[in-house]
């Protein structure tokens, strides 16, 4: 069993214990999605999931704490970007940098030089 499979099976076991569609179950789903995109982080997450105080229910408490600090009236809220950040911080998973044509600087030899009309005279 590789590290990703191990981490995913630990998440699934903790989700069963928490119950379907509970907040902790949702954290497990999001964590599994993160690991599927970044399988290199699976080893450390698998180790963390076996440690007391590092389960998906413990991570969900951090998200709930954030939500209670961000109240509007009687309702606390934690959006998906904040939940992703909290889960990544909790398990020490680096944020995945998405490289696009806009964000990627072209190497110096491929950059277009400025063209001046004087160059053609």
């Amino acid at each position: 069993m590789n590290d990703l499979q191990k981490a995913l099976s630990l998440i699934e076991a903790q989700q069963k214990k928490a119950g379907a569609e509970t907040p902790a179950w949702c954290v497990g789903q999001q964590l599994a999605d993160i690991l599927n995109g970044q399988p290199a982080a699976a080893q450390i997450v698998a180790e963390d999931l076996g440690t007391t105080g590092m389960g998906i229910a413990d991570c969900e408490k951090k998200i709930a704490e954030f939500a209670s600090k961000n109240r509007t009236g009687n309702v606390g809220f934690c959006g998906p970007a904040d939940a992703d950040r909290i889960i990544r911080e909790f398990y020490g998973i680096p944020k995945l940098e998405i490289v696009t044509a806009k964000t990627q600087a072209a190497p110096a030899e491929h950059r277009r030089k400025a063209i001046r009309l004087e160059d053609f005279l």
Side-chain angles (χ1 to χ4, degrees), residues 27-47:
V27 169
Q29 287 297 107
Q30 191 164 352
L31 180 57
D33 289 345
I34 291 169
L35 291 178
N36 281 317
Q38 287 181 268
Q43 180 184 4
I44 189 78
V45 171
E47 291 172 11

Side-chain angles (χ1 to χ4, degrees), residues 36-114:
N36 281 317
Q38 287 181 268
Q43 180 184 4
I44 189 78
V45 171
E47 291 172 11
D48 285 347
L49 288 170
T51 305
T52 303
M54 293 298 291
I56 59 175
D58 300 301
C59 184
E60 188 276 324
K61 288 177 186 174
K62 295 286 186 185
I63 294 171
E65 182 180 305
F66 177 88
S68 71
K69 290 179 183 176
N70 292 289
R71 289 185 162 284
T72 302
N74 292 330
V75 178
F77 181 76
C78 180
D82 287 317
D84 183 78
R85 179 186 52 77
I86 292 166
I87 291 169
R88 287 177 180 280
E89 287 174 1
F90 189 80
Y91 291 107
I93 303 169
K95 183 172 173 138
L96 185 61
E97 295 296 326
I98 299 173
V99 179
T100 64
K102 236 181 189 178
T103 61
Q104 182 179 17
E109 64 271 6
H110 297 306
R111 287 192 196 135
R112 187 172 182 178
K113 295 182 180 178

